Amino acid sequence: MNIELTINEIKSLKDNQLSTNHNILEQHSRGEDYYLPKLPDAVFFANTTSDIQEVIKICAKNKTPVTAFGSGTSLEGHVLPSKGGITIDLSNMKKILEVNADDLDCRVESGVNRILLNDNLKDKGLFFPVDPGASEASIGGMTATNASGTNAVRYGTMKNNVLGLTVVMADGSIINTGGRAKKSSAGYDLTKLFIGSEGTLGIITEIQLKLFGIPESISSAVCHFDTLEGAVNTSIEIVQYGLSVARIELIDEVQMAASIEYSKLKDIEIKPTLFFEFHGTKNSTTEQAQIAEEISKNNGGQNFKWAQKTEERNLLWKARHDAYYAALAIAPNKRAMSTDVCVPISKLAECIIESQKDLKENNVIAPMVGHVGDGNFHILMLCDPNNQNEMDMLKKINDRLVKRALEMGGTCTGEHGIGFGKKEYLKLEHPTLIEWMQKIKKDFDPNNILNPEKIIKFPE
Amino acid sequence: MNIELTINEIKSLKDNQLSTNHNILEQHSRGEDYYLPKLPDAVFFANTTSDIQEVIKICAKNKTPVTAFGSGTSLEGHVLPSKGGITIDLSNMKKILEVNADDLDCRVESGVNRILLNDNLKDKGLFFPVDPGASEASIGGMTATNASGTNAVRYGTMKNNVLGLTVVMADGSIINTGGRAKKSSAGYDLTKLFIGSEGTLGIITEIQLKLFGIPESISSAVCHFDTLEGAVNTSIEIVQYGLSVARIELIDEVQMAASIEYSKLKDIEIKPTLFFEFHGTKNSTTEQAQIAEEISKNNGGQNFKWAQKTEERNLLWKARHDAYYAALAIAPNKRAMSTDVCVPISKLAECIIESQKDLKENNVIAPMVGHVGDGNFHILMLCDPNNQNEMDMLKKINDRLVKRALEMGGTCTGEHGIGFGKKEYLKLEHPTLIEWMQKIKKDFDPNNILNPEKIIKFPE
């Protein structure tokens, strides 16, 4: 790797898109995670797929590491350029290339985020459902990590909602995967291979997405519980009942306190709480909500409360999306280590309760939120990455949690990805798969220039 | 390849599971397609994953081709052992290994078919939705081809319903992909890579499946139209309306005539027809059906007729599933070439009508059925594989149809797969992907023993 040469060659082609300014490098030294930052050698601001192609060709020639950077909201060190090199920032690539309203699909550049996309779609009566906590998360980054969010219980994850991709490969070639058909059996599914590949197999520059019609009727509800068990059991029963709920989110009392403070929520109690949303016709949402209310009551739910006005509903979900930032605001100088296990729904109560016990035994106060309809929850453990003792203790809690989830048939990551920090857990979860993933990595990126040190160790 | 050696080595281990009986070889010489048959050298009847491991190890050592055979219902030559060798028949592997009713998942061996599975699940109030035409299609084969069927518009294809796999690789190692969590971002998605890989990357022996609760209320309806356009436009409008219909199937008048005859359907007319099914609560299915009826009437639909009794409904869907066999019964000595394009829904009417015109111009009478909610339809062109002129003419019709669909942004195969016959169309559809698929194939199966000559050319 000759980074000087790479920088000079890129400059000679696209001088005004390359920066080595220290502030810029610092902004690209980490995501929203707890890993110690590392500066890239330079940041390239891409405007087009062919920009990226040119830069990758130079990096390939000089064996310079390349890290793709969407909006930097990831939580497992994906955008941390652990071996330096060039970070390619895609945030300028914000074009919505086409919207096919009749076919319920669209094509966007990687830098588009869901707020921008949904603002654009609203007039057409359409929306894109996948909604990770970070509203600014780019669609490219969401694809690279197989993100999901609060709507996944009804609408699925990125894997269910991406139809095709444009990707720049490690050798600089450009490929187009998938298409616009709603289903296809045409060969190996490379689209799904790139979803969740975290920038290690290629750089995603365009995404074809499925869209949905905005439901005729949307209603939300909030329900408090005296115990976490009551709230968790409600969500389990609702899923097992087969109720087609659009969102069912658990917020524990530590997080409720943080969110009430941060998001200025009113008329809401500091108790374990479920947020619901129902999509459909007016009749069907009413019917769904009645069933949900009944199941909640049977599990000790109190004051099943409607948020029928759009503003009231938006406030609620904005608060839910801001949970991570509300949690961080508890201790402004700290970072957060977010756990991300996902377990079969019948094990969810046990998994959460065991984990809460572990936190208590170690005197850790950590907010918890959960996409409980999917069996996925996050404990946001506030930490000082420079405090080794604290970090060791929290990592042990996470370690026990991951192993608990794996024993239950679950996964170490429901939606955040492996990145830097979960490589050892990937080996535990999929011991027979690592060598095959390594083969794919080596084939697609023989010089290991694409986001090295993420997901798996490069096979030597 | 030394086939004698391979046969002797397998015999010395598992004599009673290997057959070279001519009738057995003949039964494993083709699927339900129109390709000229080819006999394998021997058929191995597997009882367990480790049986398959042992056989594959022998074949790997001797570089003997291996073709996996589920129930032989595939339509693109997938099970045709084009280079001879050992066919591994998985039809004895019929164990339902576990059913986790609370988690809505189960694990089955590859030889289980959906009828067996659903019979087993009924008492638990559960069902598995993916239902290709061939009721005896094995879950393993359905996974290998990414099958779908009439329910896909609501419940998705195999890709949406498989959580994990056990696979025997070309070197005889056994891997376990995925898990029981409803979502995961743990590394490259090898589960999805094997779905649709048609036995070319590994042999699938166990499958973890998502299940669904049997809906509280199911209702079906049949509606006749004077014109094909009316029926197609109805389905397009229903999808665009966002109606959560469970099934919406088009049957043209040629197929209706065949099905009335073959399935002894009563009170049904020989006209372009839509079959509907609605799943939900009693109120919601009534509401959905009313909307569907209204949209049908606006497009010239007549006698929107309910099939509310279970028996009446089952008869209807049995007839739909038997459509392929009803079509074959028109000319008992012929085979069928089934087209399988899938296009964006806004192009569906144009694609179907152009294709019907092409058939008419060539004096071909061919039944048509369509999973029109997905934009996928099949023209069943009856043919005599030994009549070269007829085959050439029909292949040209299919060629024009595929190219028409690709120009519309569609795919050459919605659910049948590439197999033997669509390799050239895969290149047309995904020109930039072939080399990357070849890299994966070469990595996973370096000696090209697994179902050689299917999907892609092995890279020399």
Side-chain angles (χ1 to χ4, degrees):
Chain A
M1 155 176 170
N2 184 336
I3 186 68
E4 301 288 307
L5 182 62
T6 298
I7 289 178
N8 287 335
E9 289 184 356
I10 298 174
K11 270 191 175 166
S12 76
L13 278 178
K14 310 255 172 194
D15 187 23
N16 61 344
Q17 288 171 250
L18 195 78
S19 175
T20 52
N21 172 294
H22 187 76
N23 285 341
I24 297 284
L25 299 186
E26 225 168 23
Q27 287 160 22
H28 293 81
S29 65
R30 61 162 30 158
E32 291 186 350
D33 46 62
Y34 62 92
Y35 300 98
L36 293 173
K38 158 95 185 159
L39 301 186
D41 291 293
V43 176
F44 178 78
F45 290 89
N47 295 323
T48 64
T49 297
S50 79
D51 273 359
I52 296 175
Q53 179 178 43
E54 288 181 71
V55 168
I56 296 262
K57 279 184 176 168
I58 293 168
C59 292
K61 186 169 63 70
N62 301 330
K63 299 190 181 165
T64 307
V66 179
T67 308
F69 190 103
S71 58
T73 55
S74 82
L75 294 176
E76 286 300 341
H78 305 97
V79 297
L80 189 157
S82 61
K83 296 182 100 176
I86 306 298
T87 285
I88 297 182
D89 182 311
L90 293 103
S91 61
N92 290 340
M93 291 181 63
K94 276 198 164 47
K95 282 204 263 310
I96 294 170
L97 300 163
E98 57 180 54
V99 177
N100 305 299
D102 285 347
D103 293 312
L104 303 169
D105 74 52
C106 72
R107 191 168 187 89
V108 301
E109 289 185 334
S110 276
V112 170
N113 68 40
R114 70 176 171 84
I115 303 287
L116 178 68
L117 178 59
N118 281 323
D119 280 350
N120 185 289
L121 295 173
K122 206 192 285 175
D123 288 349
K124 301 178 184 72
L126 300 172
F127 79 111
F128 178 68
V130 186
D131 67 334
S135 305
E136 327 83 77
S138 66
I139 302 284
M142 287 161 62
T143 306
T145 53
N146 186 30
S148 45
T150 65
N151 280 311
V153 64
R154 165 90 174 239
Y155 297 95
T157 69
M158 288 303 280
K159 267 179 207 159
N160 304 106
N161 288 289
V162 170
L163 292 167
L165 299 170
T166 297
V167 184
V168 182
M169 304 297 283
D171 64 359
S173 59
I174 295 173
I175 66 169
N176 292 294
T177 77
R180 291 188 55 224
K182 280 288 179 288
K183 62 182 196 184
S184 174
S185 290
Y188 307 153
D189 194 335
L190 297 187
T191 304
K192 300 275 193 311
L193 187 62
F194 284 105
I195 302 174
S197 68
E198 306 183 2
T200 64
L201 298 180
I203 296 188
I204 297 164
T205 62
E206 292 181 16
I207 305 108
Q208 194 87 27
L209 296 169
K210 276 192 205 174
L211 301 174
F212 293 83
I214 295 172
E216 180 190 318
S217 164
I218 302 178
S219 65
S220 291
V222 173
C223 185
H224 297 302
F225 293 82
D226 277 333
T227 64
L228 205 55
E229 287 92 325
V232 176
N233 288 334
T234 298
S235 64
I236 294 171
E237 284 179 34
I238 283 175
V239 168
Q240 290 173 347
Y241 186 92
L243 196 70
S244 170
V245 58
R247 290 165 151 170
I248 178 165
E249 291 285 314
L250 171 69
I251 300 108
D252 83 346
E253 48 193 315
V254 185
Q255 180 68 53
M256 281 307 293
S259 287
I260 287 169
E261 175 73 19
Y262 183 87
S263 299
K264 317 285 174 223
L265 292 176
K266 282 175 195 153
D267 305 326
I268 242 172
E269 296 172 52
I270 301 180
K271 279 188 174 176
T273 302
L274 287 176
F275 284 13
F276 297 94
E277 195 163 274
F278 308 98
H279 292 179
T281 61
K282 208 161 167 44
N283 289 339
S284 76
T285 53
T286 306
E287 191 176 35
Q288 290 167 46
Q290 280 163 351
I291 297 167
E293 181 168 5
E294 199 166 313
I295 294 175
S296 300
K297 273 190 186 155
N298 290 344
N299 285 289
Q302 305 136 2
N303 306 326
F304 194 90
K305 223 183 73 178
W306 292 93
Q308 276 169 319
K309 284 187 205 150
T310 308
E311 308 78 56
E312 209 182 339
R313 211 173 58 228
N314 287 348
L315 195 69
L316 203 64
W317 290 109
K318 176 92 171 59
R320 171 61 194 88
H321 276 106
D322 286 342
Y324 189 71
Y325 307 106
L328 283 174
I330 296 176
N333 294 320
K334 294 209 168 189
R335 311 278 299 180
M337 184 190 295
S338 171
T339 74
D340 183 32
V341 301
C342 182
V343 296
I345 194 97
S346 70
K347 307 286 186 188
L348 183 63
E350 186 188 339
C351 192
I352 288 180
I353 286 155
E354 283 292 308
S355 307
Q356 293 278 4
K357 220 170 90 184
D358 197 358
L359 291 172
K360 207 170 174 186
E361 281 168 9
N362 286 281
N363 295 312
V364 176
I365 294 169
M368 194 193 72
V369 293
H371 309 304
V372 279
D374 301 314
N376 182 213
F377 66 95
H378 310 301
I379 298 171
L380 310 170
M381 301 191 289
L382 300 170
C383 60
D384 171 3
N386 293 305
N387 179 339
Q388 199 55 52
N389 285 343
E390 185 184 60
M391 292 306 290
D392 286 348
M393 192 240 322
L394 298 180
K395 279 182 184 168
K396 277 181 194 155
I397 293 174
N398 188 34
D399 186 75
R400 288 189 289 271
L401 169 55
V402 168
K403 286 172 181 163
R404 190 176 300 129
L406 294 184
E407 268 169 34
M408 292 171 166
T411 176
C412 67
T413 172
E415 55 182 13
H416 294 167
I418 297 295
F420 208 64
K422 292 218 168 103
K423 286 191 286 185
E424 288 306 311
Y425 297 128
L426 181 64
K427 285 192 215 168
L428 270 185
E429 185 172 335
H430 292 307
T432 60
L433 302 186
I434 302 295
E435 69 168 301
W436 303 98
M437 291 187 192
Q438 285 176 322
K439 280 180 204 276
I440 293 172
K441 167 68 178 177
K442 196 160 186 175
D443 255 349
F444 280 42
D445 179 21
N447 291 315
N448 194 25
I449 63 168
L450 295 177
N451 212 3
E453 305 194 327
K454 309 298 161 62
I455 302 186
I456 41 168
K457 192 173 173 302
F458 189 76
E460 303 299 342
Chain B
M1 154 178 172
N2 185 337
I3 186 68
E4 301 288 309
L5 182 61
T6 298
I7 289 177
N8 287 335
E9 288 183 358
I10 298 174
K11 271 191 174 165
S12 75
L13 278 178
K14 311 254 172 194
D15 187 23
N16 62 345
Q17 289 171 248
L18 195 77
S19 174
T20 52
N21 172 295
H22 187 77
N23 284 341
I24 297 283
L25 300 185
E26 223 168 26
Q27 286 160 21
H28 293 81
S29 65
R30 59 161 31 158
E32 291 186 349
D33 45 62
Y34 61 92
Y35 300 99
L36 292 173
K38 158 96 185 158
L39 301 187
D41 291 294
V43 176
F44 178 77
F45 290 88
N47 294 324
T48 63
T49 298
S50 79
D51 274 358
I52 296 175
Q53 180 177 43
E54 288 181 72
V55 168
I56 296 263
K57 279 184 176 166
I58 293 168
C59 292
K61 185 169 65 68
N62 301 331
K63 300 191 181 163
T64 307
V66 179
T67 307
F69 190 103
S71 58
T73 55
S74 81
L75 294 177
E76 285 300 341
H78 305 97
V79 297
L80 188 156
S82 60
K83 295 180 102 176
I86 305 296
T87 284
I88 297 183
D89 182 309
L90 293 101
S91 61
N92 291 340
M93 292 181 65
K94 276 199 163 45
K95 281 204 264 311
I96 294 170
L97 300 164
E98 58 179 54
V99 177
N100 306 297
D102 285 349
D103 293 314
L104 302 170
D105 73 53
C106 73
R107 191 168 188 89
V108 302
E109 289 185 333
S110 276
V112 171
N113 67 40
R114 71 174 171 83
I115 302 288
L116 179 68
L117 178 59
N118 281 323
D119 280 350
N120 186 288
L121 296 172
K122 207 193 284 176
D123 288 349
K124 300 179 183 74
L126 299 172
F127 80 109
F128 178 68
V130 185
D131 67 333
S135 304
E136 327 84 77
S138 67
I139 302 284
M142 286 161 63
T143 306
T145 52
N146 185 32
S148 46
T150 66
N151 280 310
V153 63
R154 165 90 172 240
Y155 297 96
T157 69
M158 289 303 281
K159 268 181 204 158
N160 305 107
N161 288 292
V162 171
L163 292 166
L165 299 171
T166 297
V167 184
V168 182
M169 305 296 284
D171 63 0
S173 59
I174 295 174
I175 66 169
N176 292 295
T177 76
R180 291 188 53 223
K182 280 287 179 290
K183 62 183 196 182
S184 174
S185 290
Y188 307 154
D189 194 334
L190 297 188
T191 305
K192 300 270 193 315
L193 187 62
F194 284 105
I195 302 174
S197 68
E198 305 181 3
T200 64
L201 298 180
I203 295 188
I204 296 165
T205 63
E206 292 181 15
I207 306 109
Q208 194 88 27
L209 296 170
K210 278 192 204 172
L211 300 175
F212 293 83
I214 295 172
E216 180 190 317
S217 164
I218 302 178
S219 64
S220 292
V222 174
C223 186
H224 296 302
F225 293 80
D226 276 334
T227 63
L228 205 56
E229 288 93 324
V232 177
N233 289 334
T234 297
S235 64
I236 294 171
E237 283 178 35
I238 282 174
V239 169
Q240 291 173 347
Y241 186 93
L243 196 69
S244 171
V245 59
R247 288 165 153 172
I248 177 165
E249 291 285 312
L250 172 69
I251 299 108
D252 82 346
E253 49 193 314
V254 185
Q255 180 67 53
M256 281 307 293
S259 289
I260 288 168
E261 175 73 19
Y262 183 87
S263 300
K264 317 286 174 222
L265 292 176
K266 280 176 196 153
D267 304 326
I268 244 173
E269 296 172 50
I270 302 179
K271 278 187 175 179
T273 302
L274 288 177
F275 285 13
F276 297 95
E277 196 164 273
F278 308 98
H279 292 179
T281 60
K282 207 161 167 45
N283 288 340
S284 76
T285 52
T286 306
E287 191 177 35
Q288 289 165 48
Q290 279 163 350
I291 297 167
E293 181 168 4
E294 198 166 314
I295 295 174
S296 299
K297 273 191 186 155
N298 290 343
N299 285 289
Q302 306 137 3
N303 307 326
F304 194 89
K305 222 185 71 181
W306 292 92
Q308 274 169 320
K309 285 188 205 148
T310 308
E311 309 76 58
E312 207 182 340
R313 213 175 55 228
N314 287 349
L315 194 70
L316 203 63
W317 291 109
K318 175 92 171 59
R320 171 60 193 86
H321 277 106
D322 287 342
Y324 189 70
Y325 307 106
L328 284 174
I330 296 175
N333 293 320
K334 293 208 169 190
R335 311 278 300 179
M337 184 189 295
S338 171
T339 73
D340 183 33
V341 301
C342 182
V343 295
I345 194 96
S346 69
K347 308 285 187 189
L348 183 62
E350 185 188 340
C351 191
I352 289 180
I353 286 155
E354 284 292 308
S355 306
Q356 293 279 2
K357 218 170 91 183
D358 197 356
L359 291 172
K360 205 168 174 188
E361 282 168 8
N362 286 281
N363 295 312
V364 176
I365 293 169
M368 193 194 72
V369 293
H371 310 304
V372 279
D374 301 314
N376 182 211
F377 66 94
H378 310 299
I379 297 170
L380 310 172
M381 300 190 289
L382 300 171
C383 60
D384 171 3
N386 293 306
N387 179 340
Q388 200 56 51
N389 283 343
E390 185 184 60
M391 293 306 291
D392 287 348
M393 192 245 313
L394 297 181
K395 280 183 183 166
K396 276 182 195 156
I397 292 174
N398 188 34
D399 186 76
R400 287 189 290 270
L401 169 55
V402 168
K403 287 173 181 162
R404 189 177 301 130
L406 294 183
E407 267 168 35
M408 291 171 167
T411 176
C412 67
T413 171
E415 55 183 12
H416 294 169
I418 298 295
F420 208 65
K422 292 218 167 104
K423 287 191 286 185
E424 289 305 312
Y425 296 128
L426 182 64
K427 286 193 216 167
L428 271 185
E429 184 172 336
H430 293 307
T432 59
L433 302 186
I434 302 296
E435 68 168 301
W436 303 97
M437 292 187 193
Q438 285 176 321
K439 281 180 203 277
I440 293 172
K441 168 69 178 175
K442 195 161 186 174
D443 254 350
F444 280 42
D445 179 21
N447 291 317
N448 195 24
I449 63 167
L450 295 177
N451 212 2
E453 306 194 324
K454 310 297 160 63
I455 302 186
I456 42 169
K457 192 175 172 300
F458 189 76
E460 302 301 341

